[in-house]
Amino acid sequence: GVVATAPGRTIQIANRSAAELLDADEMIGKPLGQISPELDALVEGGQREGVVQIGHGLDARTLAVRIARAAA
């Protein structure tokens, strides 16, 4: 899935795969931390790649994440 955020980590673009993986239908305009605190922490930490687990129990998903930052 693909998610793009604006400065301040507000979600600007999200494709259908991202919505399904994050179990969130309406993400546009919301803070990344509200949709996925785990992904938000990865972005805030300045990392370029990581593995995060979202959800709990039988609904848990492990995601390999790659972060690309736009050139200023």
Side-chain angles (χ1 to χ4, degrees):
V2 176
V3 175
T5 61
R9 296 190 307 276
T10 300
I11 297 172
Q12 298 295 304
I13 299 170
N15 68 8
R16 184 180 310 218
S17 294
E20 290 174 7
L21 287 169
L22 298 174
D23 194 27
D25 292 329
E26 299 188 24
M27 297 190 293
I28 307 302
K30 294 183 180 175
L32 181 60
Q34 180 180 337
I35 301 299
S36 177
E38 302 86 355
L39 289 177
D40 190 52
L42 195 67
V43 173
E44 184 177 16
Q47 298 177 5
R48 296 187 56 87
E49 293 184 351
V51 176
V52 296
Q53 184 170 2
I54 59 173
H56 302 286
L58 296 176
D59 293 327
R61 296 178 180 156
T62 301
L63 306 176
V65 179
R66 179 169 295 157
I67 297 168
R69 289 180 168 67

